[in-house]
Coordinates of all heavy atoms in Angstrom, one line a residue:
S12 N -18.6 -2.2 -20.0 CA -18.6 -0.8 -20.1 C -17.2 -0.3 -20.5 O -16.2 -0.9 -20.2 CB -19.0 -0.1 -18.8 OG -20.3 -0.5 -18.4
S16 N -15.9 3.2 -12.6 CA -15.6 4.1 -11.5 C -14.3 3.7 -10.8 O -14.0 2.6 -10.5 CB -16.7 4.0 -10.4 OG -17.9 4.4 -11.0
K30 N -6.1 -4.9 -22.0 CA -6.8 -6.2 -21.8 C -5.8 -7.3 -22.1 O -5.0 -7.2 -23.0 CB -8.0 -6.3 -22.8 CG -9.1 -5.3 -22.6 CD -10.2 -5.6 -23.6 CE -11.3 -4.6 -23.5 NZ -12.4 -4.9 -24.6
R32 N -5.7 -11.9 -21.7 CA -6.7 -13.0 -21.8 C -7.4 -13.3 -20.5 O -8.4 -14.0 -20.5 CB -6.0 -14.3 -22.2 CG -4.9 -14.8 -21.2 CD -4.2 -16.0 -21.8 NE -3.2 -16.5 -20.9 CZ -3.5 -17.4 -19.9 NH1 -4.7 -17.8 -19.8 NH2 -2.5 -17.8 -19.1
H65 N 3.8 -17.5 -0.8 CA 4.9 -16.6 -0.6 C 5.8 -17.1 0.5 O 5.3 -17.5 1.6 CB 4.5 -15.2 -0.3 CG 3.7 -14.6 -1.4 ND1 3.1 -13.4 -1.4 CD2 3.3 -15.1 -2.7 CE1 2.4 -13.1 -2.5 NE2 2.6 -14.2 -3.3
A76 N 16.4 -8.1 3.9 CA 17.0 -7.0 3.2 C 16.0 -6.3 2.3 O 16.0 -5.0 2.2 CB 18.2 -7.6 2.3
T114 N 12.1 -3.3 15.5 CA 12.3 -3.4 16.9 C 13.7 -4.0 17.3 O 14.2 -3.7 18.4 CB 11.2 -4.3 17.5 OG1 11.2 -5.6 16.9 CG2 9.8 -3.6 17.4
I137 N -7.6 -1.4 15.2 CA -6.4 -0.7 14.6 C -6.8 0.8 14.2 O -5.9 1.6 14.1 CB -5.9 -1.4 13.4 CG1 -6.9 -1.6 12.3 CG2 -5.2 -2.7 13.8 CD1 -6.3 -2.1 11.0
H157 N -9.1 -3.5 -2.7 CA -10.3 -3.3 -3.5 C -10.9 -1.9 -3.3 O -11.5 -1.3 -4.2 CB -11.4 -4.3 -3.2 CG -11.0 -5.7 -3.4 ND1 -11.9 -6.8 -3.2 CD2 -9.9 -6.2 -4.0 CE1 -11.3 -7.9 -3.5 NE2 -10.1 -7.6 -4.0
T200 N -3.8 -11.5 -7.6 CA -4.3 -10.8 -6.5 C -4.0 -9.3 -6.5 O -4.5 -8.5 -5.7 CB -3.8 -11.4 -5.2 OG1 -2.4 -11.2 -5.1 CG2 -4.1 -12.9 -5.1
F205 N -0.2 1.7 -8.9 CA 0.1 3.1 -8.6 C 1.3 3.5 -9.4 O 2.3 2.8 -9.6 CB 0.3 3.2 -7.1 CG -0.8 2.9 -6.2 CD1 -1.2 1.5 -6.0 CD2 -1.6 3.8 -5.5 CE1 -2.3 1.2 -5.2 CE2 -2.6 3.5 -4.7 CZ -3.0 2.1 -4.6

Side-chain angles (χ1 to χ4, degrees):
S12 298
S16 298
K30 295 180 182 180
R32 63 185 181 85
H65 298 176
T114 56
I137 61 170
H157 296 178
T200 67
F205 298 71

